[in-house]
Amino acid sequence: MTASQHTHASPESFLTPPMRALENAGALDSLVSAADTLSSVVTGSASIRDLLRGKRLGHAVHPLLVQVPMGTWLSALVLDAVGGRDGRGAARLLTGVGVLSAGPSALTGWAEYSGLQLRDKRVTVVHAGANGAATALHAASWLARRSGRHGLGRALSLGGMTAAGLGGYLGGHLSVSRQVGSRDAAFEDGTNGRP
């Protein structure tokens, strides 16, 4: 199938129509307006914006940093499943590391947000909301684990990873389908990845 056939063909995924609806959801525009303000605060100066966007690296930093909370939270869930009592302390530690690392990850995401068009901003505010919910649930999980309520901590982590999975799907949509994200102009040769 050629690229043009792929573009005009019927959707390959049952998720394509809801994603199109999300991109066109004008009801999100008040959230976009608030997010515009937040993003302008985060990226108030060009030097900070360039740092958070990874200008010196040649591409966005956000996809790199999101690996830390996602990886630590997923590792905590694995320990919850197979680590038994001996894994509880490590699972709590991993959960906490993920919560702490979510902040820098979010800052780099808001720096990327500042350059998006409206339809991508609509998806991004839902992406950010899902990731914020994931962080809040994991913070609650850490507190529950710390107070000895390990069952509640595990349940909250599972809920947090569900939210993080939704956020990750939306982030993947933005970076792959919509091709947003900072990159060095030297790589934009018009070949769309073809040699």
Side-chain angles (χ1 to χ4, degrees):
M1 178 180 290
T2 67
S4 63
Q5 288 171 324
H6 182 71
T7 303
H8 299 318
S10 62
E12 294 178 17
S13 169
F14 69 95
L15 293 172
T16 301
M19 289 307 301
R20 288 284 190 205
L22 180 58
E23 291 174 354
N24 295 312
L28 294 170
D29 290 353
S30 61
L31 289 174
V32 167
S33 180
D36 286 345
T37 302
L38 176 61
S39 178
S40 67
V41 169
V42 170
T43 60
S45 76
S47 60
I48 291 174
R49 184 173 50 252
D50 288 348
L51 174 68
L52 293 174
R53 285 186 176 175
K55 184 174 183 178
R56 303 283 294 173
L57 294 176
H59 66 78
V61 177
H62 185 64
L64 300 171
L65 292 186
V66 298
Q67 303 308 310
V68 179
M70 291 294 284
T72 54
W73 292 337
L74 185 58
S75 297
L77 278 181
V78 171
L79 284 174
D80 287 341
V82 301
R85 288 184 172 276
D86 292 340
R88 287 179 176 175
R92 185 180 77 223
L93 175 65
L94 288 165
T95 301
V97 169
V99 170
L100 292 176
S101 65
S105 178
L107 288 174
T108 59
W110 285 116
E112 291 297 324
Y113 173 91
S114 66
L116 301 181
Q117 57 182 293
L118 180 59
R119 68 189 280 188
D120 298 326
K121 286 182 174 184
R122 290 171 178 150
V123 175
T124 302
V125 295
V126 179
H127 166 73
N131 290 333
T135 303
L137 286 165
H138 280 99
S141 171
W142 185 85
L143 290 170
R145 292 168 190 270
R146 184 172 180 240
S147 66
R149 295 178 298 169
H150 301 288
L152 176 60
R154 287 191 299 271
L156 289 165
S157 281
L158 186 58
M161 278 307 295
T162 301
L166 171 62
Y169 178 84
L170 295 172
H173 173 76
L174 288 164
S175 63
V176 177
S177 298
R178 297 293 301 146
Q179 298 181 357
V180 302
S182 300
R183 57 194 162 274
D184 194 318
F187 294 115
E188 295 179 13
D189 58 4
T191 61
N192 292 328
R194 293 185 298 275

